[in-house]
Amino acid sequence: MRLLDARSAFTALRALTLGLPLCLGLAAAQAQAVYRIVGPDGRVTFSDVPPPKAPASATAKPGAAGGGASALPFALQQVASRYPVTLYSGENCGPCDSGRAYLRGRGIPFTERTVKSNEDVQALQRLAGDASLPLLTVGSQQLKGYSDVEWGQYLDAAGYPKTSQLPRGYEAPAPTPLVAVERPAPAPAARPAGAEPEVKIDAVNTRARPAAPAAPTAPQPNAENPAGIRF
């Protein structure tokens, strides 16, 4: 009976000895797990801690309404932030249509400013020295008139890709006027002479209080800004 117990103990000890390296190997393999993490700025780091999972609601969808910069690939975002492209166009302008088609065909993210009113024309003259259309700006560079060769050279120098890298379903921002004119608020009607001042009754404490002062009106034209333009 004692011999049988000794053999059983020896067998158990041997199994434990053979299984111990396997357990240690599994533990070491788990401890050596490395995760590759790509940050929002494009930098790649490595860590033994898994990255947190982003909630489903925070996932950006390409081509969202408005075509924001967040919908663009990272490399294209960087170029567009350093050298933004703006097209100044007008109505019944064939070269403007050709330039717009060129930018769209190449996949250039751009904003478009329309020149229609007298205020728009004056603002364009102050910006470019004349009112010729189309006008394309690539960063601080101004290109007057449409030329696919010249436009392409400047876009290449800025680092824009030669073929479209816009995400599927991308929507460009809608064109907006060059100048948004804010009309001054109408002046309040004059009160008759000898009329009682207007008061408002506070429903909480039932005490009379004077009416709130009228909001200040928009700035009027002056010597420094004769057209009254606000950008």
Side-chain angles (χ1 to χ4, degrees):
M1 188 67 178
R2 292 180 179 178
L3 180 60
L4 181 60
D5 294 340
R7 289 180 178 179
S8 299
F10 176 76
T11 302
L13 180 61
R14 182 178 182 183
L16 179 63
T17 304
L18 294 176
L20 183 59
L22 179 60
C23 295
L24 293 177
L26 292 175
Q30 293 178 354
Q32 294 175 357
V34 177
Y35 299 90
R36 182 176 181 270
I37 304 174
V38 181
D41 56 353
R43 296 182 58 186
V44 179
T45 58
F46 297 90
S47 173
D48 57 352
V49 180
K53 294 183 178 180
S57 60
T59 304
K61 295 182 179 180
S70 60
L72 303 178
F74 178 76
L76 192 55
Q77 287 186 40
Q78 296 299 306
V79 179
S81 63
R82 290 195 298 266
Y83 306 105
V85 176
T86 303
L87 172 65
Y88 300 85
S89 63
E91 294 180 317
N92 302 321
C93 174
C96 300
D97 298 337
S98 300
R100 186 186 305 106
Y102 172 81
L103 295 175
R104 291 177 177 174
R106 181 163 169 170
I108 303 298
F110 68 96
T111 56
E112 184 173 355
R113 305 297 187 203
T114 57
V115 180
K116 299 179 180 180
S117 64
N118 293 332
E119 292 83 358
D120 295 334
V121 174
Q122 293 176 6
L124 183 62
Q125 291 176 338
R126 295 174 58 182
L127 174 67
D130 56 44
S132 60
L133 293 173
L135 172 68
L136 185 75
T137 59
V138 182
S140 60
Q141 302 295 327
Q142 296 185 0
L143 307 178
K144 299 180 181 180
Y146 171 64
S147 170
D148 56 349
V149 176
E150 184 181 19
W151 286 23
Q153 291 175 346
Y154 277 85
L155 293 171
D156 293 343
Y160 282 96
K162 294 182 178 297
T163 58
S164 177
Q165 295 184 4
L166 296 177
R168 187 176 183 180
Y170 173 84
E171 296 181 7
T176 56
L178 177 56
V179 177
V181 179
E182 295 184 4
R183 303 300 180 185
R191 298 184 61 82
E196 294 292 334
E198 182 183 0
V199 296
K200 291 184 178 180
I201 305 301
D202 193 332
V204 177
N205 54 26
T206 65
R207 290 185 301 177
R209 59 185 181 184
T217 58
Q220 302 297 326
N222 50 48
E224 298 181 355
N225 188 10
I229 299 175
R230 302 184 72 182
F231 294 93

